[in-house]
Amino acid sequence: MSRGLTQVLLRPTQLPAKAGALPLPVLQRKYLGMENLMFVYCSSKIIWTLLVTILGYASSLPVRDDSICTAEELAKYSIIFTGKWSQTAFPKQYPLYRPPAQWSSMLGVTHSSDYSMWKKNEYASNGVRDFAEKGEAWVLMKEIEEAGEKIQSVHGIFSAPAISSGTGQTSTELEVRSRHPLVSFVVRIVPSPDWFVGIDSLNLCEGDHWVEEVSVDLFPYDAGTDSGFTFSSPNFATIPQDTVTEITCSSPSHPANSFYYPKLKILPPIAQVTMVKLKKNQLGLPIPHLNQPAKSNEILDTISETPLDCEVSQWSSWGLCRGPCRKPGTKIRTRFVLLHPANNGTPCPNLDEETGCEPDNCV
């Protein structure tokens, strides 16, 4: 309340007492009424300010993907990973030996929105770095366990066996709950500097029910921790560390990159994952699911063919002019194949070229 009004109420004898003035009790009641009005006004203003602040804060909070899941508490899924990394679909620098194209084991987690295993355009954790570069899962598993213990954001960890070739299948089962409906996983591309495929926080809950089946095409990602351009690049740490980025047919924009196909608009999917909800029998138990064995060179759908154009080196310098004296001679320059064509790509041009010349030294 106002200090001036307070002083007036504390010193009533100082009020003017000239002719025609109201009696002192009446004046006191008037000042008290004004004080009450000021108090109500100030209180209303404070309450309004607090309300606006609270509403503004609430509107800035992130929307939780799992906050509206009202489906049954528990659901189980079969997850099938299909490798589509074939020489037909990805002919450039396709690894044939030491080691040949293959996939690491799958490491995944079911969780709430409070946890993130990896995220595009953000920095990879030490665990994701070790897994993407070397296939080592120990640090990543410790990170997952710590997140589960501290903020109860992780429900379970799942894994599936590695695939010994670029094409094939592996599978396992996972369990989600209404408080932990999100699925994330990573699978390393072998060989590669720090490349992987995976899913970040796929929500299997749609309001009051679980998704029956979902399939997602997978594309390669760079963990941002190694600067190698090719599948077989030696270890070359990225300093400072970069963020996780998607590898496309034009990015990184460098001809040496193993996924660089400038004539394509988009890379074909290098893998696919399918999750199928397991049904329950009459006793309320999940129907037994038989894991599909890994297949070495068989995928269920048609493999796309990526055309690969021939690439040749620059011309060498011209050779010596050869020929008899006083007659026109010839000289030759050559080039060699850097990359052989595949899948109806542009064929290689001539590798040698001849032109006329005047012999410099003749007998």
Side-chain angles (χ1 to χ4, degrees):
M1 70 180 70
S2 170
R3 184 177 178 182
L5 290 177
T6 303
Q7 290 176 343
V8 169
L9 293 175
L10 292 176
R11 297 181 178 85
T13 56
Q14 295 181 3
L15 293 173
K18 54 186 179 180
L22 295 174
L24 182 59
V26 176
L27 283 173
Q28 286 179 327
R29 287 196 298 273
K30 288 176 67 68
Y31 279 111
L32 282 171
M34 292 175 63
E35 181 190 30
N36 291 336
L37 287 174
M38 290 293 294
F39 176 76
V40 170
Y41 169 76
C42 292
S43 299
S44 300
K45 189 174 182 180
I46 292 172
I47 293 172
W48 175 253
T49 302
L50 288 173
L51 183 60
V52 170
T53 303
I54 292 172
L55 289 175
Y57 172 75
S59 65
S60 66
L61 291 175
V63 178
R64 294 168 58 95
D65 291 337
D66 53 344
S67 60
I68 59 173
C69 181
T70 58
E72 59 181 338
E73 176 65 15
L74 176 68
K76 290 189 176 182
Y77 283 82
S78 166
I79 178 169
I80 304 168
F81 177 89
T82 303
K84 296 187 175 184
W85 184 20
S86 67
Q87 191 171 7
T88 303
F90 299 91
K92 186 175 182 180
Q93 302 169 4
Y94 188 80
L96 296 174
Y97 54 89
R98 297 183 182 179
Q102 57 190 278
W103 299 96
S104 76
S105 58
M106 172 193 293
L107 181 61
V109 60
T110 57
H111 58 96
S112 69
S113 59
D114 295 320
Y115 173 78
S116 176
M117 175 183 263
W118 66 275
K119 195 171 292 291
K120 183 180 178 180
N121 297 327
E122 294 188 6
Y123 293 103
S125 67
N126 291 335
V128 172
R129 178 200 62 199
D130 287 355
F131 190 87
E133 289 188 8
K134 298 173 285 187
E136 297 176 357
W138 174 251
V139 177
L140 181 54
M141 291 187 67
K142 291 293 292 182
E143 292 174 351
I144 296 171
E145 291 173 0
E146 290 174 1
E149 292 173 357
K150 289 181 180 178
I151 55 179
Q152 303 297 310
S153 59
V154 172
H155 172 63
I157 300 174
F158 59 90
S159 63
I163 304 175
S164 60
S165 62
T167 60
Q169 288 185 338
T170 187
S171 64
T172 187
E173 293 180 5
L174 60 88
E175 184 178 274
V176 287
R177 293 184 177 272
S178 57
R179 291 177 296 171
H180 304 89
L182 307 181
V183 176
S184 298
F185 72 82
V186 287
V187 179
R188 181 179 179 240
I189 298 173
V190 183
S192 73
D194 60 343
W195 302 342
F196 69 96
V197 297
I199 279 182
D200 167 37
S201 303
L202 176 66
N203 196 342
L204 295 180
C205 181
E206 291 185 347
D208 60 352
H209 66 279
W210 295 103
V211 175
E212 290 295 326
E213 182 174 344
V214 60
S215 292
V216 180
D217 287 333
L218 304 177
F219 299 89
Y221 280 89
D222 187 323
T225 60
D226 192 290
S227 297
F229 270 125
T230 66
F231 295 120
S232 56
S233 292
N235 186 40
F236 184 56
T238 301
I239 301 176
Q241 180 178 337
D242 204 351
T243 58
V244 175
T245 56
E246 183 176 352
I247 301 173
T248 70
C249 56
S250 59
S251 178
S253 182
H254 195 291
N257 188 277
S258 295
F259 287 109
Y260 185 72
Y261 297 93
K263 289 190 175 182
L264 295 182
K265 292 183 179 180
I266 185 173
L267 284 176
I270 195 171
Q272 184 183 66
V273 65
T274 300
M275 282 170 266
V276 182
K277 185 174 179 291
L278 299 179
K279 297 181 179 180
K280 295 181 179 180
N281 59 23
Q282 294 180 350
L283 298 177
L285 299 175
I287 296 175
H289 174 73
L290 298 177
N291 285 339
Q292 298 188 14
K295 303 175 183 179
S296 59
N297 289 300
E298 181 183 353
I299 349 184
L300 299 180
D301 55 340
T302 304
I303 300 175
S304 59
E305 291 190 355
T306 301
L308 185 65
D309 297 338
C310 177
E311 294 182 11
V312 296
S313 67
Q314 297 293 324
W315 287 109
S316 67
S317 58
W318 288 102
L320 295 175
C321 184
R322 298 182 180 277
C325 294
R326 295 181 297 278
K327 290 185 179 180
T330 58
K331 58 182 179 181
I332 298 175
R333 63 178 181 176
T334 61
R335 55 187 174 184
F336 57 90
V337 175
L338 296 173
L339 189 64
H340 289 278
N343 306 329
N344 297 317
T346 304
C348 293
N350 292 331
L351 300 179
D352 54 76
E353 187 176 55
E354 184 178 294
T355 188
C357 60
E358 291 290 338
D360 294 329
N361 299 312
C362 61
V363 180

